[in-house]
């Protein structure tokens, strides 16, 4: 897998127009950086962490140390200077079942009890009976309540439909603080999973005061067999080593890129296997059932996030194209290269391995604090 970071490819032809936020390791430890007009600025003497930088809204790149143009910097996924996931102390949250297609697929998983071979027949029946109404109804409205009553009467109701069209969104914690992986890193699926998929998404970076300050791409790696057996296995299906990818950088909102660009975003997915398999998918944020800022509001709820949070917004994409046996749909194989892309946000590229074989997560909060203290970056 190619791990050379070419900004024009990874971020897009207009990458110099954006104000980008992220983290790199220049050999001593993680540094928050801002990229403006194509120039990388090390902000670690302004704020030791991305969370601190966002909390202070310290987005003046001139206050940092200019370390050169991004193009020749030579960022890599494993070598120095290393590109890291763009968040650090933020809680990693995710919204589920925010598109009609994903709602149907969750119901299919539930009714198939995690058995991929039973999915095709269920998919056809549910699409015929539920699909149209689910796509047209606004969650939490009287029309949604009426659809719920009709589906209950027909024996087609599900806990997934409750969060798809009911008043309350599904918001869960996807990964521990500092556990996300970035562009070029391996992503992990459990070694004992036989039915799984990527979830290409847009993610919002949210400040402690609840303001969405920027967006990036994400892969909310999902195990369909585990969650399909029981929704109570959501944690095991979602939170595994290297199972949350974000990047390549957060594009901060400004007059050139706003929350409306997120609302209109087109997200593409390409999966290329070492077996010659290729899958192409597309997701339009225009089809999301709840506005991105409504999902932020629901994530906040009656909670506080003093270090902010990042929120995966959910995906329209549900891979149903058969890979091996007819009727079994898609599942990952080790070595798959997953490319998630969207104009204005760039590309997030990761290779699939098992969570056992992925690079172990060892750099936690204590390690970060020790590293920052040793570099003289902690202050009262």
């Amino acid at each position: 897998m190619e791990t050379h970071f070419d900004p024009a490819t990874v971020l897009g032809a207009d990458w110099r127009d954006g104000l980008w936020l992220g983290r790199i390791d220049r050999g001593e430890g993680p540094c928050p950086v801002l990229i403006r007009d194509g120039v990388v600025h090390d902000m670690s003497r302004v704020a030791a962490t991305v969370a601190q930088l966002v909390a202070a809204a310290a987005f003046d790149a001139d206050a940092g140390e200019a370390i050169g143009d991004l193009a020749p910097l030579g960022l890599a996924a494993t070598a120095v200077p290393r590109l890291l996931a763009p968040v650090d102390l933020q809680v990693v949250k995710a919204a589920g079942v925010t598109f009609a297609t994903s709602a149907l697929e969750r119901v299919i998983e539930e009714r198939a009890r995690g058995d991929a071979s039973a999915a095709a027949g269920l998919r056809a029946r549910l699409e015929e009976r539920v699909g149209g109404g689910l796509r047209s109804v606004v969650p939490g409205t009287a029309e949604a309540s009426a659809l719920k009553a009709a589906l209950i009467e027909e024996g087609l109701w599900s806990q997934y439909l409750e969060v798809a069209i009911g008043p309350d969104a599904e918001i869960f914690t996807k990964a521990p603080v500092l556990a996300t992986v970035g562009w070029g890193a391996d992503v992990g699926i459990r070694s004992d999973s036989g039915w799984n998929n990527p979830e290409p998404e847009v993610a919002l970076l949210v400040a402690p005061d609840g303001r969405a300050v920027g967006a990036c791409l994400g892969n909310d790696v999902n195990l369909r067999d585990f969650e399909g057996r029981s929704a109570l296995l959501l944690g095991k299906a979602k939170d595994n080593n290297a199972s949350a990818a974000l990047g390549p950088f957060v594009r901060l909102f400004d007059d050139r890129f706003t929350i409306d660009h997120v609302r209109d975003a087109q997200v593409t997915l390409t999966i290329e296997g070492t077996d010659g398999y290729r899958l192409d998918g597309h997701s339009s944020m225009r089809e999301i059932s709840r506005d991105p800022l409504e999902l932020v509001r629901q994530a906040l709820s009656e909670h506080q996030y003093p270090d902010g949070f990042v929120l995966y917004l959910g995906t329209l994409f549900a891979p149903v194209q058969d890979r091996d046996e007819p009727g079994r749909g898609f599942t990952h194989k080790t070595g798959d290269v997953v490319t998630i892309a969207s104009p204005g946000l760039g590309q997030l590229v990761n290779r699939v391995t098992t969570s056992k074989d992925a690079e172990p997560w060892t750099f936690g909060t204590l390690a970060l604090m020790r590293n920052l203290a040793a570099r003289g970056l902690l202050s009262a």
Side-chain angles (χ1 to χ4, degrees):
M1 176 180 149
E2 176 61 54
T3 55
H4 171 67
F5 189 96
D6 173 21
T9 300
V10 179
L11 298 179
D14 63 344
W15 67 277
R16 290 184 184 274
D17 294 335
L19 178 60
W20 306 88
L21 168 67
R23 293 190 306 147
I24 64 174
D25 185 345
R26 301 167 64 188
E28 297 182 342
C31 301
V33 296
L34 287 173
I35 303 168
R36 190 192 63 196
D37 299 327
V39 177
V40 182
H41 299 259
D42 183 338
M43 305 300 292
S44 56
R45 294 291 170 181
V46 176
T49 64
V50 169
Q52 185 181 0
L53 199 73
V54 172
F59 300 141
D60 177 10
D62 288 336
E65 173 198 357
I67 58 176
D69 194 271
L70 176 61
L73 191 61
L75 288 180
T78 56
V80 176
R82 183 178 183 182
L83 178 59
L84 306 172
V87 298
D88 43 39
L89 297 179
Q90 292 87 354
V91 177
V92 184
K93 308 291 286 188
V97 202
T98 55
F99 291 81
T101 300
S102 63
L104 288 174
E105 289 301 314
R106 296 293 87 78
V107 177
I108 289 164
E109 291 167 12
E110 179 185 46
R111 290 178 179 258
R113 306 292 293 175
D115 179 5
S117 63
L122 284 165
R123 185 173 294 111
R125 178 170 177 261
L126 284 167
E127 178 63 39
E128 179 183 358
R129 301 288 297 278
V130 181
L134 201 60
R135 289 181 180 87
S136 63
V137 73
V138 177
T141 62
E143 290 79 8
S145 296
L147 177 60
K148 174 179 178 178
L151 293 174
I152 290 174
E153 188 174 343
E154 294 181 46
L156 293 175
W157 190 244
S158 162
Q159 58 196 332
Y160 292 106
L161 296 178
E162 174 64 44
V163 295
I165 66 174
D168 298 308
E170 178 191 20
I171 307 289
F172 58 91
T173 299
K174 167 64 181 178
V177 165
L178 289 170
T180 53
V181 299
W183 172 90
D186 285 350
V187 290
I189 55 172
R190 286 184 60 94
S191 58
D192 52 356
S193 171
W195 189 21
N196 46 68
N197 63 270
E199 292 194 351
E201 306 187 17
V202 176
L204 291 180
L205 179 60
V206 182
D209 63 2
R211 291 176 301 110
V213 299
C216 67
L217 296 171
N219 186 353
D220 175 13
V221 179
N222 180 51
L223 308 183
R224 304 191 70 183
D225 43 5
F226 277 80
E227 187 177 356
R229 295 205 329 263
S230 170
L232 298 181
L233 293 174
L234 177 67
K236 185 167 281 190
K238 291 289 190 179
D239 183 6
N240 298 288
N241 183 41
S243 65
L246 291 168
F249 292 98
V250 171
R251 184 163 186 178
L252 294 171
F253 293 143
D254 55 19
D255 57 357
R256 294 180 177 180
F257 188 80
T258 70
I259 189 65
D260 285 335
H261 288 87
V262 171
R263 294 183 174 113
D264 291 335
Q266 305 296 310
V267 181
T268 59
L269 169 75
T270 302
I271 301 170
E272 298 174 285
T274 58
D275 56 356
Y277 178 88
R278 181 184 174 98
L279 185 149
D280 293 292
H282 175 265
S283 181
S284 173
M285 286 294 292
R286 294 175 184 172
E287 298 185 43
I288 198 167
S289 59
R290 303 178 197 266
D291 185 78
L293 294 186
E294 167 61 13
L295 291 171
V296 169
R297 186 192 69 79
Q298 293 221 17
L300 288 164
S301 188
E302 296 183 4
H303 209 312
Q304 293 79 40
Y305 294 93
D307 297 309
F309 63 93
V310 61
L311 177 65
Y312 288 87
L313 295 176
T315 187
L316 168 66
F317 179 72
V320 298
Q321 176 183 319
D322 291 334
R323 182 165 196 173
D324 294 315
E325 301 173 30
R328 288 191 62 86
F330 171 84
T331 196
H332 269 309
K333 292 185 179 182
T334 299
D336 285 351
V337 174
V338 180
T339 301
I340 298 167
S342 183
L345 292 175
Q347 292 182 350
L348 176 61
V349 184
N350 301 98
R351 182 176 55 196
V352 174
T353 186
T354 66
S355 293
K356 281 185 177 180
D357 292 335
E359 181 181 351
W361 174 43
T362 59
F363 197 82
T365 307
L366 283 176
L368 175 63
M369 295 302 109
R370 290 181 181 127
N371 177 272
L372 296 177
R375 292 156 60 195
L377 296 177
L378 290 184
S379 58

